[in-house]
Structures are given as structure tokens and as C-alpha cells.
Amino acid sequence: MSTESLEKSSMQPSFQPSTKTPLVIENNGLHTIQVDPIRILDEFQAEQYEKVMENLTASFGHMLDDPYITSNCTLFQQNLGSNGTATMLLLGFSIRYESKFGRPVIHY
């Protein structure tokens, strides 16, 4: 291989360069679950719910480097209701995804 070829290959852009500005998307969602006993989540349970939602993100991304995509979940609403036969808890949450690799996170 000639010196010129080596210079050209070393000047190739990386497969997936990181970006100076992370790409961010925020989505809101609703979960409805049946509850018995009838109650909303306490502070500890709400924190655990947020952690579960955030940890689902570990399976996203292209496995280029850790962390692949970071997420932050916030539980902002809890309402009790009924579907006619059972008591339901409606959980409103917001989840924010951020990618430092320039990968679009809009579909997550």
C-alpha cells in the first residue's frame, strides 16, 4: 500500500462521528393499569416506575459506546378511574431520549 493510500484511508470520516450537540426528543405517554388495593403510587413506587421506564432504553441504540442513548422519565400524573369492573390507575409520564452519536432518536 502506498503512502498516499494510507493518508487517504486515515483521513476517512469515522463510521459514526459523535456530534457536539446531542440529539434530543421528548415524548409523553399514558399507561393504564389495574390496581388492587385502590391507590395511587407512593413516592418510592413512582421512582421505581421511572427507573423501569428509563432502563428500557438500554436496548436502544447502535451499541457504539456507553451510554448509547440516555433517557430521563418523569411521572407527572396519576388518576384513579374505573373501567366498569375494575379500578384503573392512569399514569401520565414524559420520557426524554438523548443520543450523543447523531443517531436520530425520534422513533424511540
Side-chain angles (χ1 to χ4, degrees):
M1 186 179 268
S2 70
T3 305
E4 183 179 333
S5 296
L6 285 174
E7 287 174 11
K8 284 183 180 177
S9 65
S10 66
M11 293 171 55
Q12 296 291 326
S14 64
F15 173 71
Q16 186 62 45
S18 62
T19 59
K20 290 183 181 180
T21 305
L23 298 175
V24 176
I25 188 81
E26 188 166 338
N27 289 320
N28 290 331
L30 295 173
H31 279 160
T32 304
I33 57 174
Q34 184 174 335
V35 290
D36 185 23
I38 300 169
R39 64 178 181 168
I40 63 172
L41 302 180
D42 62 30
E43 186 177 340
F44 175 77
Q45 292 168 326
E47 288 174 4
Q48 294 305 302
Y49 174 84
E50 291 170 344
K51 285 181 183 179
V52 166
M53 294 301 292
E54 290 169 357
N55 287 331
L56 293 175
T57 308
S59 62
F60 295 163
H62 296 271
M63 306 305 181
L64 298 173
D65 193 8
D66 188 32
Y68 316 118
I69 294 174
T70 58
S71 62
N72 183 12
C73 180
T74 303
L75 183 62
F76 63 82
Q77 175 186 2
Q78 297 189 61
N79 292 325
L80 290 170
S82 175
N83 68 359
T85 59
T87 301
M88 308 302 286
L89 175 60
L90 177 67
L91 301 172
F93 66 95
S94 174
I95 190 154
R96 182 177 190 263
Y97 301 106
E98 181 177 320
S99 171
K100 67 178 182 177
F101 295 109
R103 295 284 188 176
V105 292
I106 193 165
H107 301 295
Y108 300 140

